[in-house]
Amino acid sequence: MQKFKPQSNTQYFLLPPSVEEFVKEDHLARVVSEVVESLDTAAIENRYSYLGQKSYHPKLLLKLLFYGYSIGIRSGRKIAAACESDVAFMYLSCMYKPDFRTINDFRKDNADLVEQLFIEVIRLCAAMNMVNMGMLVIDSTKLRANASNRCTKTKEQYQQWLGNIEQQVKDIITQADTADKEEDEKYGDNRGDELPKQINTKEKLRKKIQEAIKQMKDDNDKINLTDHDAKVIRSGGLLRTSYNCQTSSTSNGIIVSAYVTNAASDKEHLLPVIQQAESNTQHKSETILADSGYASYDNYEQLTQLNKTILVPDQEKETESVKAASNPFHRNHFSYDAQENKFICPEGKSLTYRREYIHKVYKQHSKLYEGTECSSCTSKPLCTKGKARQIHIENRMPLREQIRKLLDSPEGKNIYKLRQQIIEPIFGNIKHNLKYTMLHLRTLKKVNAEWQLICLTHNIKQIWKMKCQPG
């Protein structure tokens, strides 16, 4: 009696199997295939010609890219290799073996159409009742650009670098002139007047630097030689050449808006993110959840005008109470007398209204209150270093206080806790599980498509979980 099952790699099948038989019914690859088949790819197909050799169908290449991105494989070479060894990729590629250049060129050439595919997947989710726009959770994450930090320089640094290169080129030419006696041995059958390889490389670098200098409008501007759109942004306490990826999600984890910016601040992107989400889903949101990086008086005012419930803490909310506890003359200890329009300091002295002004930088409309009895006050050294204590009140400060009260209420606290539970796991999965900590493409347009591709495949995995993993 045999103890083991027989082994044979040369055994023929009685009936030839289909590659589909090797992919489980609930496999992610099947859902990717179904989703892609439902997409309208006419815009991509119209870019192909009837002339020449037949091309791979765009849907086939989209399936490979979508499935690759959903499991953490972005490299065209790795996807091409998987088409020869991975059953799921073989199933999606219909046993074809596209070259990695074909995959990479397809992704690069159709970057401008990824946004429309992203929107179609969102609306597919909506058709499956997976999109609840009542609550919109907004956040951003920084991803490193495909460019080195040391290649981000100012105009002066580039000009210095350019001077060094030109000197190096002169040195190379001088060395070549002294080697005339070895010309035949060096150039063989060539004419002998070709540029040496070192000069060729330096010339290309010199042209790139000159192009970068032309794009710089200000002497203090910094631009990266490899990717002109990438900017140095602080992330995790480090300054890195990065992009800022803006995202919004519904309460059940469907990403409904995604785009990339090279601006470090999030404040200017709260409304655009909301507008894109509402445009993509064709539904209005009611409650907005975001961290303090999105807080500004302008955003509070505009969201109030749009009748949104705002759960966006301001950046001073937590630090203000700490400072007030240690400083008896903090502004929070000054009481306001609405009837006489003045503030009363802890010593009982008045700060009267002086004027209204617009801040030169932040363009905020504020009121100025100034103490009238500070010169005779014994506590003045503890209260102010100026001639008199001043208090500046932004006209929209009551709106900020209203939002603070909502955030401090039991209901507000419970709702705001959901922000971390909804959006942070999405970024955690993308950056930790799938290892997407660095973007592969360059320039803002292509990087935007890459981020939307990552978010699109996240939504496809949500569809797969709903269909095949109901538990």
Side-chain angles (χ1 to χ4, degrees), residues 219-386:
D219 289 346
N220 295 322
D221 284 349
K222 283 190 174 183
I223 195 168
N224 188 277
L225 189 65
T226 310
D227 184 349
H228 294 175
D229 291 335
K231 300 295 181 184
V232 175
I233 299 174
R234 185 176 294 279
S235 175
L238 299 173
L239 288 171
R240 290 174 172 167
T241 306
S242 308
Y243 283 100
N244 191 358
C245 304
Q246 299 290 334
T247 313
S248 70
S249 167
T250 60
S251 57
N252 56 342
I254 300 296
I255 297 176
V256 288
S257 65
Y259 69 87
V260 171
T261 175
N262 54 15
S265 174
D266 292 329
K267 291 180 182 178
E268 296 78 16
H269 297 281
L270 182 62
L271 286 167
V273 169
I274 296 170
Q275 290 165 357
Q276 189 188 89
E278 293 180 345
S279 173
N280 290 347
T281 60
Q282 297 180 324
H283 288 88
K284 296 292 183 182
S285 57
E286 298 170 5
T287 303
I288 306 299
L289 274 66
D291 63 27
S292 59
Y294 290 91
S296 73
Y297 283 116
D298 288 341
N299 287 339
Y300 288 160
E301 183 179 29
Q302 292 180 63
L303 290 178
T304 301
Q305 291 171 355
L306 294 171
N307 296 319
K308 309 286 187 188
T309 301
I310 309 165
L311 288 164
V312 183
D314 59 276
Q315 293 179 335
E316 296 178 354
K317 184 176 184 296
E318 301 300 327
T319 59
E320 203 172 79
S321 58
V322 176
K323 290 178 180 178
S326 60
N327 181 6
F329 293 96
H330 189 274
R331 190 176 68 181
N332 285 8
H333 300 305
F334 287 65
S335 58
Y336 178 63
D337 185 340
Q339 187 174 357
E340 296 191 24
N341 188 22
K342 67 178 183 179
F343 279 88
I344 308 297
C345 78
E347 295 290 336
K349 301 185 185 301
S350 299
L351 283 81
T352 58
Y353 172 76
R354 292 298 189 192
R355 60 188 173 87
E356 189 166 336
Y357 68 95
I358 300 174
H359 197 283
K360 292 181 180 179
V361 178
Y362 301 110
K363 307 302 180 185
Q364 295 176 351
H365 294 254
S366 299
K367 293 175 182 176
L368 172 63
Y369 294 82
E370 191 172 53
T372 56
E373 306 170 66
C374 295
S375 58
S376 60
C377 181
T378 56
S379 300
K380 182 188 174 186
L382 300 174
C383 183
T384 180
K385 294 180 181 179

Side-chain angles (χ1 to χ4, degrees), residues 311 404-415:
L311 288 164
R404 283 185 177 184
K405 286 182 181 179
L406 178 59
L407 285 163
D408 289 335
S409 68
E411 182 186 4
K413 287 180 178 178
N414 290 333
I415 296 174

Side-chain angles (χ1 to χ4, degrees), residues 6 34 37 52 55 120 163 169 185 191 200 253 296 318 376 393 398 414:
E34 290 175 14
E37 287 298 331
S55 305
E120 284 194 50
V169 170
E185 181 180 346
R191 296 190 308 271
N200 230 341
S296 73
E318 301 300 327
S376 60
I393 301 296
N414 290 333

Side-chain angles (χ1 to χ4, degrees), residues 183-211:
E183 188 174 310
D184 291 339
E185 181 180 346
K186 184 174 183 179
Y187 294 109
D189 295 332
N190 294 327
R191 296 190 308 271
D193 59 352
E194 298 90 347
L195 278 173
K197 186 177 180 181
Q198 286 177 292
I199 297 179
N200 230 341
T201 304
K202 298 292 182 184
E203 281 294 320
K204 289 178 182 177
L205 181 58
R206 185 172 67 86
K207 288 179 181 178
K208 287 182 71 176
I209 293 173
Q210 288 174 336
E211 288 175 8

Side-chain angles (χ1 to χ4, degrees), residues 56-172:
Y56 295 110
H57 198 284
K59 288 189 175 180
L60 183 147
L61 296 173
L62 283 175
K63 290 175 186 179
L64 295 178
L65 283 172
F66 286 7
Y67 181 68
Y69 270 74
S70 66
I71 62 172
I73 299 177
R74 286 183 290 177
S75 166
R77 284 180 167 85
K78 289 183 178 180
I79 292 174
C83 290
E84 300 178 7
S85 59
D86 188 296
V87 174
F89 278 100
M90 294 165 74
Y91 162 72
L92 293 172
S93 67
C94 303
M95 295 300 289
Y96 287 117
K97 299 173 184 177
D99 184 73
F100 72 90
R101 289 187 181 86
T102 302
I103 297 169
N104 288 342
D105 288 344
F106 176 81
R107 174 172 50 190
K108 177 184 66 177
D109 295 340
N110 296 290
D112 57 325
L113 299 177
V114 171
E115 183 175 7
Q116 186 56 40
L117 298 175
F118 173 59
I119 294 170
E120 284 194 50
V121 172
I122 291 172
R123 292 181 180 171
L124 176 62
C125 292
M128 299 172 69
N129 295 320
M130 294 175 64
V131 176
N132 179 9
M133 280 292 288
M135 181 188 296
L136 194 62
V137 187
I138 299 168
D139 205 352
S140 68
T141 187
K142 312 296 189 297
L143 291 184
R144 288 172 57 198
N146 187 4
S148 171
N149 277 3
R150 58 189 177 86
C151 287
T152 301
K153 300 179 183 294
T154 62
K155 191 172 186 178
E156 182 181 352
Q157 290 171 326
Y158 274 126
Q159 288 171 340
Q160 185 179 356
W161 192 7
L162 187 62
N164 293 339
I165 290 171
E166 289 174 346
Q167 183 59 46
Q168 289 171 11
V169 170
K170 289 178 182 178
D171 293 342
I172 293 169

Side-chain angles (χ1 to χ4, degrees), residues 7-13:
Q7 301 179 72
S8 176
N9 291 329
T10 59
Q11 175 67 48
Y12 289 100
F13 289 96

